[in-house]
Amino acid sequence: MTSLLESIDSRTKLVGENRLELLLFRLAGKQIYAINVFKVREVVQLPPLTEVPNRHYAICGVAHIRGLSFSVVDLQAALGRSPLYNGEVKTNLIITEYNSSVQGFLVGPVDRIVNLTWDSILPPPPTTGNGHFLTAITSFDDQLIQIIDVEKVLADITPYSTDISEDVLNENLKDWALNNQLKVLIVDDSSTARQQLKITLNNLGIECIQAKNGAEGLRTLESLAEDGPITKTLLMMITDAEMPEMDGYRLTHEARSNPALEDLFIIMHTSLSGAFNEALVDKVGCNRFLSKFKPDEVANAVQERVQDYKNSLESS
């Protein structure tokens, strides 16, 4: 318990400074890739794998480590290139936790961990198109680093459902939301995550405004607040945690520090570890924390907010 609290405290300090730590690695070539250390449980040499019949082409097997079994994704194959799992390249296994599940990523050499500021993390250039698997880019020691959109990788292998269960969906609240043109701001650097949320929220009768990172999200909020109280314009903001230029924690802190935005209802919606996030969410002042991507949980949280908003209007 003490070590967990110490870890949370160290991460909290990083968040307060708008910083992150990246694990750098390579695949078969010289290009450096990265993922957030927050999501890494450990790095080991690739153990023997158990083959799975009729598996996805990017799944090279199942690993069994310390009583835990999980699928191993050949990351190079998942990015649309020739598989790395061919016995010719020395490989390592990055064991991660996304969306409350454990998976392994087969990679080449693992380089180091670097500590960077979020404002040095930039969105991919628009000319990269819509088919890439990058969530951001940065540089270190004059080398370009490509940060993988792991949510897109995993969604391509096992598509997420955006359906809301019939016993969860409140049709009366949906109709009320439609009639009152309720809007939600979605802030997430992953196009896959934004699309998932958009579909689910549309099924609740809610219109979506989107921003690709925390800095863009803050500009959007400030612009909307020029037309009057932000709570008259937006039902809520749903933000990711890790994003280029400004992370979701700093975005929330900036909103809470602005009198024009301080009353906005904010949900932190992230694939990062729940134990860390619950502490960080409490620190920066979010109203709710939700793990990605669980449509029914999103629907319940949003409908609760719609009901509260409806009650406040009717009682005023």
Side-chain angles (χ1 to χ4, degrees):
M1 185 63 170
T2 301
S3 61
L4 174 62
L5 293 175
E6 289 174 351
S7 296
I8 289 174
D9 185 58
S10 66
R11 300 304 187 196
T12 301
K13 290 176 180 176
L14 281 179
V15 168
E17 298 172 359
N18 202 38
R19 304 186 71 86
L20 79 160
E21 292 177 325
L22 293 175
L23 175 66
L24 308 186
F25 60 89
R26 291 179 170 83
L27 298 176
K30 295 182 179 180
Q31 175 61 51
I32 300 176
Y33 298 92
I35 60 175
N36 195 325
V37 171
F38 245 145
K39 299 179 178 179
V40 177
R41 293 178 62 144
E42 61 180 315
V43 180
V44 298
Q45 288 191 334
L46 184 69
L49 301 180
T50 300
E51 293 192 5
V52 179
N54 301 318
R55 64 186 182 272
H56 186 277
Y57 68 86
I59 300 293
C60 46
V62 173
H64 308 272
I65 297 179
R66 287 183 283 283
L68 183 65
S69 298
F70 52 87
S71 297
V72 174
V73 179
D74 185 322
L75 191 52
Q76 183 157 285
L79 299 183
R81 296 158 56 188
S82 58
L84 191 64
Y85 187 56
N86 56 17
E88 298 178 6
V89 178
K90 182 179 179 181
T91 53
N92 293 286
L93 185 64
I94 301 176
I95 303 173
T96 64
E97 183 173 354
Y98 283 82
N99 304 336
S100 303
S101 67
V102 176
Q103 55 285 130
F105 290 99
L106 175 70
V107 301
V110 175
D111 193 333
R112 71 185 91 173
I113 293 174
V114 297
N115 186 309
L116 301 172
T117 59
W118 272 113
D119 55 14
S120 68
I121 311 297
L122 303 174
T127 52
T128 52
N130 296 321
H132 63 79
F133 286 86
L134 302 182
T135 189
I137 60 172
T138 189
S139 62
F140 185 79
D141 285 348
D142 297 323
Q143 292 182 296
L144 178 69
I145 299 171
Q146 298 183 356
I147 302 174
I148 301 294
D149 185 349
V150 178
E151 289 166 7
K152 179 173 174 58
V153 171
L154 295 177
D156 276 15
I157 295 172
T158 306
Y160 297 113
S161 171
T162 55
D163 296 335
I164 302 170
S165 302
E166 288 185 10
D167 60 336
V168 171
L169 179 60
N170 186 321
E171 292 288 352
N172 291 329
L173 284 179
K174 176 180 178 179
D175 292 341
W176 192 86
L178 280 168
N179 292 334
N180 287 272
Q181 300 180 321
L182 298 188
K183 299 179 178 64
V184 167
L185 174 62
I186 299 171
V187 188
D188 201 304
D189 59 331
S190 169
S191 59
T192 297
R194 291 197 307 274
Q195 183 65 11
Q196 290 167 345
L197 271 174
K198 180 177 182 294
I199 293 171
T200 298
L201 291 172
N202 287 167
N203 288 336
L204 296 172
I206 292 174
E207 180 182 339
C208 296
I209 304 169
Q210 299 185 34
K212 300 182 182 67
N213 58 64
E216 183 180 331
L218 183 59
R219 290 193 296 270
T220 301
L221 288 176
E222 292 170 341
S223 176
L224 292 172
E226 292 176 358
D227 298 325
I230 193 66
T231 52
K232 298 292 185 182
T233 306
L234 285 180
L235 177 71
M236 66 171 65
M237 175 174 69
I238 303 178
T239 179
D240 188 21
E242 49 170 342
M243 295 179 289
E245 298 187 53
M246 179 187 292
D247 65 25
Y249 307 110
R250 175 55 66 89
L251 170 60
T252 302
H253 174 76
E254 293 294 330
R256 292 290 182 244
S257 302
N258 185 335
L261 306 174
E262 62 182 353
D263 294 328
L264 179 65
F265 193 93
I266 301 175
I267 292 178
M268 185 73 70
H269 183 241
T270 172
S271 56
L272 295 177
S273 167
F276 290 121
N277 271 280
E278 286 165 14
L280 297 174
V281 163
D282 182 64
K283 175 185 173 67
V284 298
C286 288
N287 298 94
R288 292 284 296 272
F289 161 76
L290 292 176
S291 296
K292 290 181 177 177
F293 179 69
K294 301 173 183 177
D296 284 351
E297 290 189 7
V298 171
N300 277 323
V302 173
Q303 287 181 149
E304 285 178 17
R305 173 59 182 154
V306 172
Q307 185 66 64
D308 289 344
Y309 184 67
K310 180 173 180 289
N311 292 342
S312 68
L313 290 181
E314 291 174 347
S315 62
S316 61

